Amino acid sequence: MVSFDDLLEEAGAFGRCQKRIFSLLCLLSLPFAGVYVGIVFQGFTPDHWCRDPELVEMRQVCGWSLEDTRRLIPLVNGSGEPEQRSSCEQYEVDWNSTTLTCDSLAQLDPSGVPVSKCKASWEYQYEGRKTFVTEFDLVCEKSWLVDMYQSVLNVGFLVGSFAFGYFADRFGRKITFLMSNILNAISGLGLALAPNYVTVLVFRAIFGFGVKGGWMTNYVLLTEIVGVKHRRTVGIIFQMFFSVGLLILPPLAYFITDWRWFQVAIAAPNVLFLAYYWFIPESPRWLLSQNNSAKAEEIIRAMAEENKKKLTSSFDNLACDEGDSPSASLLDLVRTPKMRKHTFILMFNWFTSAVVYQGLIMRVGITGGNVYIDFLIMALVEFPAAFLILFTIERIGRRLPFATANIVAGACCLIAAFIPDSLFWFKTVVGCVGRLGITMAFEMVVFVNTELYPTFIRNLGVSVCSTMCDIGGIISPFLLYRLSAIWLELPLIIFGVVAFIAGGLVLLLPETRGVPLPDTIEDVEFPHRKKEKTVENQQEKETLKSDLTSNKENASV
């Protein structure tokens, strides 16, 4: 009897066919970066102050600069510095009825004049750029609506993970991918045309629903069509293209100054991805789990032909695992002790990765530096993370690098919180190391998750566990923006604590280096039996080869 992995090795574990599919699917990670963290640019909140129509009119008549009229904005905590002027209050005075003239601005002393909240709208110091914050005036008492822009995306991720996880395991990876791209194209472009902020949030949630489900489905498809020795590498590189997408975002946002056109640039590639339907095959491993061996054989033979390989094993001898229903169920994730333990630990690590990773990225937009340069530096840090993973996972294993990455990220967050701003360079270096650590952890949790679940519920298992990533994403904006208003470094302390806990829990997971993908729940609960089966199959294969060799020698004699 031969296993599916044996057939895949014969057809080409990572041949021309898999490389072609891999190259096409990697491109999907590029726009996903813009969807996930585009809020840094689309929702950037510039310096702002109350817009008083009377003062605006006088400024135009007298030729005053913005800084001149900002002197007529109330101070915060009595500070006389311009950057300490209030963003949400204005003087309660009718400027038209005062003795203020074009020449008397410098002598005017508004101290003692009562103040009130902004009555008309706001002015923004964000030259030539338009974000949804400036368009819909989402500042002061409405600033929490900016958090909602990211939170509703993660709500979409959450529902999409469940829905598309089920669709992919029930109807197949290929048709689910097609559904995702149609939905992404419609909702992404609809978001760019939304007439009001409520509609923006609705389209944003639908966009998240389709994007996350499609991305996870493609990741699982990649791990199922390559050999055991290659699935970790393709998984890491697939995620590394997300980091490439991050590098593209700053120059893209710099040249596309309107948040709506920026949204079009993010959503438009989904229209092109619809053509993949004719270039990407269904997962033969999934087809076998659905007892559709005829179609699986057709795809495997086509892959072998493209890879210029020849199948010697027959599908009639394919080992079929029994005892598990081909229908996936949520109960299967917690039905047995090890499945319960794996599910809990993985869910907590997904939650931690999302909260810390997303929080550190969005923090770039509130620290007061150059958002484009700071974002670019932090994005560059992610590339060493991918190479460190590729260097360690086959030499050391998964568990130790995974745990270490979380612990390092936690330590850096705690240290950075107490470094004074005067040591800016040191704080930046520590922050970069922390970003490196959490990036490693985020990339590792994805492929470790796929290695710990059996085939028939692999996509559902990854999708359900990753819902905690989405819950973390829902919480993260409020955690960052609201707590940073109390103390800018408070979110870092929380990030550090949860990362430490996640790292400790990872040490309780089994090592999956060199272990074949489990096909049944029994393989998860009793991994030694799966190993024994693999060894037996290998011995049978070697015996068969030796018999064929002997027969050839006898025939020649």
Side-chain angles (χ1 to χ4, degrees), residues 209-471:
F209 175 81
V211 168
K212 175 69 178 295
W215 191 86
M216 293 303 301
T217 299
N218 291 327
Y219 183 89
V220 172
L221 173 60
L222 275 177
T223 62
E224 291 182 339
I225 65 171
V226 300
V228 175
K229 294 180 181 178
H230 301 278
R231 68 176 188 250
R232 289 91 179 180
T233 304
V234 299
I236 295 300
I237 296 176
F238 179 68
Q239 294 178 80
M240 195 166 73
F241 269 77
F242 178 88
S243 300
V244 176
L246 293 180
L247 289 179
I248 296 172
L249 285 184
L252 190 68
Y254 183 80
F255 289 106
I256 301 179
T257 58
D258 190 312
W259 75 275
R260 292 183 181 273
W261 284 108
F262 185 76
Q263 175 62 34
V264 171
I266 294 172
N270 288 285
V271 178
L272 301 177
F273 294 150
L274 292 174
Y276 281 18
Y277 181 77
W278 289 275
F279 301 102
I280 306 296
E282 182 56 87
S283 166
R285 191 185 289 269
W286 174 81
L287 289 168
L288 286 173
S289 74
Q290 300 297 304
N291 298 320
N292 191 350
S293 58
K295 184 65 177 176
E297 181 177 2
E298 179 186 332
I299 292 173
I300 285 291
R301 293 196 181 280
M303 291 172 65
E305 183 179 350
E306 188 174 346
N307 292 337
K308 297 183 179 180
K309 298 280 187 176
K310 187 175 181 181
L311 288 179
T312 58
S313 300
S314 170
F315 268 70
D316 296 332
N317 297 324
L318 187 62
C320 297
D321 297 292
E322 298 178 359
D324 281 320
S325 165
S327 299
S329 167
L330 287 173
L331 290 177
D332 290 324
L333 301 178
V334 293
R335 190 150 47 97
T336 57
K338 286 187 178 178
M339 289 289 286
R340 279 195 297 273
K341 183 179 75 171
H342 296 174
T343 299
F344 170 75
I345 295 174
L346 289 168
M347 289 178 83
F348 188 83
N349 271 271
W350 275 105
F351 175 83
T352 300
S353 296
V355 168
V356 180
Y357 181 82
Q358 205 171 147
L360 290 180
I361 288 181
M362 291 188 297
R363 193 173 183 272
V364 172
I366 65 173
T367 52
N370 186 307
V371 66
Y372 302 103
I373 295 175
D374 292 348
F375 192 97
L376 191 63
I377 292 172
M378 289 296 184
L380 285 170
V381 171
E382 297 200 0
F383 288 92
F387 291 114
L388 280 172
I389 293 172
L390 292 173
F391 180 77
T392 58
I393 57 175
E394 297 301 340
R395 293 172 174 80
I396 302 173
R398 280 83 163 124
R399 185 169 52 187
L400 190 57
F402 191 6
T404 303
N406 273 304
I407 292 170
V408 167
C412 288
C413 286
L414 292 174
I415 293 171
F418 296 100
I419 297 176
D421 292 336
S422 58
L423 296 176
F424 176 76
W425 64 270
F426 183 47
K427 193 164 190 168
T428 301
V429 170
V430 173
C432 286
V433 175
R435 176 76 175 272
L436 174 69
I438 199 60
T439 301
M440 282 186 65
F442 213 159
E443 292 182 357
M444 292 195 72
V445 71
V446 183
F447 75 82
V448 168
N449 203 154
T450 63
E451 293 180 339
L452 289 174
Y453 284 122
T455 300
F456 80 106
I457 58 167
R458 182 167 298 120
N459 208 96
L460 181 63
V462 173
S463 298
V464 170
C465 288
S466 70
T467 58
M468 291 304 295
C469 165
D470 307 325
I471 292 173

